[in-house]
Amino acid sequence: MKKLTVLAFAGAALLFTACNEKSKEGGKDPVEVAEKSGDAYNVDLATSNVNWKAFHKGGFAPRWGTINLKSGEITVADNAVTSGDFVIDMTTLKVDPASVTEADKKPADLEGHLKNEDFFNVTKNPTSDFKITSVTDLAGELPKDAVAGANKTVSGNLTLLGKTLNVSFPAKVTVADGKAGIEAKFTVNRADWGIKFGTDETDPAEWMISKDIEIGINVNATK
């Protein structure tokens, strides 16, 4: 059960983070958060979503699901996103039942493990947060897992389980008609935040689980 559980945990825990070996920067030391300037746009929690997908080594036994945003705000000046602050509600972590194909496994059991002190301990850490530090024009070749239409590089400080790292990922950022959006698809490295299931790299419980986690985000905000 725990070997299966950690797949879900790793993906959920690294929501709104950045790139590892495909979009490859990994977590860096936190930097100053972007100054809020311009008009404030409130994130539409009903239409915004975050998806994750994780695997055993070799792409076997994938698990996927969602986590909701608790709150969020984007600021816009001169038709450009200048800052953003998002709170992720870790208590809403869900495992998609379609990803649990084994007859003796239940999504609810996996979710319970993810939320207890063995993993994310949502009682002590009910939220994570992501704060934009910069939004710049995307340069160079797109990573193969980038979302179609990506036009910006979004960087920000992610705080997870008390650890804050600055991360970057390619995103499609749009501003038009009183609406702002950030859409991204990228791969993260759970090890950047010290998320390990086994005691060390030689432990089969850790070795069998890929460090690559696929993340998809779609954030919509209105003025």
Side-chain angles (χ1 to χ4, degrees):
M1 174 66 72
K2 287 188 176 181
K3 289 181 181 179
L4 298 172
T5 300
V6 73
L7 292 170
F9 169 69
L14 292 177
L15 293 174
F16 261 39
T17 61
C19 331
N20 70 344
E21 298 179 343
K22 295 181 182 178
S23 302
K24 260 275 184 198
E25 287 195 17
K28 298 180 179 180
D29 290 339
V31 300
E32 185 176 356
V33 173
E35 181 181 355
K36 292 185 178 182
S37 61
D39 297 322
Y41 288 51
N42 292 320
V43 170
D44 184 344
L45 302 181
T47 62
S48 300
N49 57 73
V50 182
N51 303 289
W52 56 266
K53 190 174 184 179
F55 313 84
H56 280 89
K57 286 288 180 63
F60 294 106
R63 297 286 189 264
W64 60 86
T66 61
I67 299 179
N68 296 339
L69 294 179
K70 185 174 184 178
S71 62
E73 181 183 80
I74 294 172
T75 60
V76 175
D78 298 325
N79 290 319
V81 171
T82 58
S83 74
D85 190 338
F86 311 94
V87 178
I88 305 164
D89 186 353
M90 300 308 298
T91 68
T92 67
L93 183 155
K94 294 294 183 182
V95 176
D96 191 324
S99 72
V100 184
T101 57
E102 299 87 346
D104 60 337
K105 306 301 179 185
K106 297 180 179 179
D109 292 337
L110 296 181
E111 289 170 13
H113 279 292
L114 301 182
K115 293 177 179 180
N116 70 23
E117 60 275 7
D118 290 337
F119 297 98
F120 201 70
N121 195 358
V122 299
T123 300
K124 184 178 180 181
N125 303 283
T127 61
S128 299
D129 64 72
F130 180 79
K131 299 180 180 181
I132 290 177
T133 56
S134 68
V135 179
T136 59
D137 290 338
L138 187 62
E141 184 178 354
L142 280 176
K144 65 180 182 180
D145 55 348
V147 69
N151 59 349
K152 301 289 183 179
T153 295
V154 175
S155 299
N157 293 336
L158 173 74
T159 299
L160 175 67
L161 294 176
K163 183 174 183 178
T164 302
L165 294 175
N166 187 263
V167 295
S168 301
F169 52 85
K172 180 181 179 181
V173 179
T174 57
V175 178
D177 301 324
K179 297 181 179 180
I182 301 175
E183 182 181 359
K185 181 181 178 183
F186 50 92
T187 300
V188 300
N189 186 344
R190 61 183 173 84
D192 286 348
W193 280 261
I195 298 174
K196 297 179 180 180
F197 183 55
T199 55
D200 57 45
E201 291 291 335
T202 63
D203 188 329
E206 171 67 14
W207 183 84
M208 292 176 63
I209 300 166
S210 175
K211 291 183 173 62
D212 288 347
I213 309 297
E214 293 181 4
I215 299 297
I217 63 173
N218 185 16
V219 175
N220 302 303
T222 55
K223 188 174 178 180

